[in-house]
Amino acid sequence: MAIVGQTDVNATRQALVSQLIQEALQERAKMLPLVSRYDAPNGAQSVGIPRRDAASKASALSEDAEVSADAMTLSVDTISLAQYPKRFDVSDLAKIQSSVDVNSLVVEDIASSLARTLDELILTELFTAGRYTSVDNDQNDGSEPDHVLALSSGPADIKGDILNARKLLKNQGVQFDGRVHAVCTPATEEALLSEGDFVRADAYGAREHILNGEIGMLYGIRFHTHSEITDVSSTAQMAIFHENAVAVGIQKEFSLEYFRDVKYLNDVYTGSMFAGAKMMNGGKLSVVFDSGN
C-alpha cells in the first residue's frame, strides 16, 4: 500500500503556494504590465536587446547613377539579472498560539515584498536622471538631460506640461497607439483629477482598467498613480513613457520554497525571483518631471 508522506504533502503545498504567490505578484506589481518583458534562458547572466537607428529616407536615383549602400547601426541595451529573495521563519509558538493565520500572512508579505521590489527596479530606471542622455533640443527649460523637465507648480499648467512631454516623445517617433502610459505621485494625481479634460477610468465602461490601477486618460496617455515613486527619488513627480521605454528581464519566475526546520521547530518560507530592469534607447521613449530639476 502506498503511503503519502510528509515529503509528498510538502511538495503539493509548495506547488499550490507558489501558484498563489505568482498570482498575487502579478496583481500587485503595478508597473510590470506597463513596460516590455523579456524572458532570459538559464545560463545567461544578462539579457541583450538589440536596437537600431531609424532608417533614412530613400532618395531619387539619377539616370546611370550607382545606388549607394546605406549603413545600419546596431546597438544593444543590456539588462543585468540578479536574485531577489525574501525569507520568513514561522515558529510553532507563533503559528499555534496566534489568533490569525500567520503562514498566510507570511505568503502575502512575500508576494507584496517581491512585487514592490520589481516595481522599484522599474521606477528607478524611469526616474533616475542619469539614465537619460541628451536626446532632444526642443524643450522649455534648457537643462540636461533634455527629457528630464520641471513640473509646473500650479495645477492649471499641468496640461501644458503633458502636451510638452507628448511633443518631445513624438519628436522621437513615439506612436500614441494606446501603449503610452504615465505614472505619477498621489499629489500629481490630485491635480490631474481636477482637470476638466481628464477622463477618469471609471467612465471607460471597462472594470479591468480600474483593477489594473489606471486612474484615467488625457491626450491618449493612460495615467496611473504609484505611492512609492518618492522611494526612488525624493523630487520626482511624474513620468510619461512608451511601454518600450523600460524593459524587464525575468529569468526565474516568482516562486516560493517551503521546508520544515525540525531543529528549531520552524516553518521556513523563502520567496525569490531572478530579474532586472533597464532603461532603453537612452531615455528617448520617456519624459520625467522632477521638481528638483
Side-chain angles (χ1 to χ4, degrees):
M1 180 178 66
I3 298 176
V4 178
Q6 183 71 15
T7 301
D8 303 292
V9 174
N10 284 346
T12 302
R13 178 192 297 181
Q14 180 176 329
L16 291 173
V17 173
S18 292
Q19 181 179 352
L20 290 173
I21 200 171
Q22 286 188 40
E23 292 173 355
L25 278 162
Q26 294 289 343
E27 292 175 1
R28 299 180 189 185
K30 296 180 180 179
M31 297 300 299
L32 187 59
L34 310 184
V35 297
S36 300
R37 170 177 169 162
Y38 295 87
D39 293 325
N42 290 340
Q45 296 181 351
S46 61
V47 181
I49 303 169
R51 58 182 171 89
R52 63 178 179 84
D53 295 337
S56 60
K57 297 177 182 178
S59 302
L61 183 66
S62 301
E63 187 177 4
D64 297 329
E66 180 183 356
V67 178
S68 59
D70 202 353
M72 179 178 292
T73 304
L74 294 177
S75 304
V76 176
D77 287 317
T78 302
I79 306 174
S80 298
L81 302 169
Q83 186 173 26
Y84 296 91
K86 187 71 173 181
R87 168 180 165 173
F88 282 98
D89 294 355
V90 181
S91 68
D92 284 353
L93 184 65
K95 180 173 60 176
I96 294 172
Q97 295 188 353
S98 175
S99 59
V100 297
D101 187 348
V102 177
N103 286 9
S104 295
L105 292 177
V106 163
V107 172
E108 290 179 9
D109 194 271
I110 289 174
S112 177
S113 175
L114 294 181
R116 290 177 62 192
T117 297
L118 191 57
D119 274 3
E120 183 175 295
L121 291 173
I122 298 169
L123 292 172
T124 298
E125 294 298 310
L126 275 175
F127 287 101
T128 300
R131 303 285 197 268
Y132 294 79
T133 56
S134 180
V135 295
D136 194 296
N137 294 321
D138 187 13
Q139 56 164 8
N140 291 334
D141 66 349
S143 65
E144 299 289 349
D146 297 320
H147 279 202
V148 182
L149 308 177
L151 189 66
S152 298
S153 56
D157 299 321
I158 195 168
K159 287 199 297 185
D161 291 332
I162 294 169
L163 285 172
N164 185 36
R166 179 183 168 94
K167 175 188 65 179
L168 292 173
L169 293 178
K170 280 200 165 187
N171 285 347
Q172 297 302 323
V174 172
Q175 300 296 316
F176 283 72
D177 52 3
R179 297 187 296 163
V180 176
H181 301 274
V183 59
C184 64
T185 62
T188 303
E189 175 190 19
E190 182 181 8
L192 282 166
L193 293 177
S194 67
E195 287 292 343
D197 294 335
F198 189 80
V199 180
R200 296 170 60 111
D202 54 12
Y204 293 175
R207 180 169 170 264
E208 63 269 16
H209 296 289
I210 300 174
L211 295 177
N212 290 335
E214 189 172 334
I215 59 173
M217 181 182 293
L218 183 64
Y219 303 134
I221 303 167
R222 297 183 178 275
F223 283 81
H224 310 256
T225 186
H226 205 297
S227 60
E228 298 181 16
I229 290 174
T230 52
D231 290 350
V232 301
S233 173
S234 60
T235 55
Q237 302 294 316
M238 177 171 64
I240 300 177
F241 57 97
H242 190 273
E243 68 176 29
N244 291 333
V246 174
V248 172
I250 303 289
Q251 187 171 37
K252 177 178 177 289
E253 287 284 358
F254 318 117
S255 64
L256 184 136
E257 299 173 59
Y258 164 87
F259 75 91
R260 177 70 176 169
D261 186 349
V262 296
K263 185 176 181 180
Y264 295 99
L265 299 178
N266 289 339
D267 291 339
V268 180
Y269 292 89
T270 304
S272 66
M273 62 181 178
F274 273 85
K278 175 70 175 178
M279 170 70 74
M280 307 293 287
N281 296 288
K284 291 182 178 181
L285 306 182
S286 55
V287 176
V288 65
F289 291 94
D290 192 321
S291 61
N293 186 50

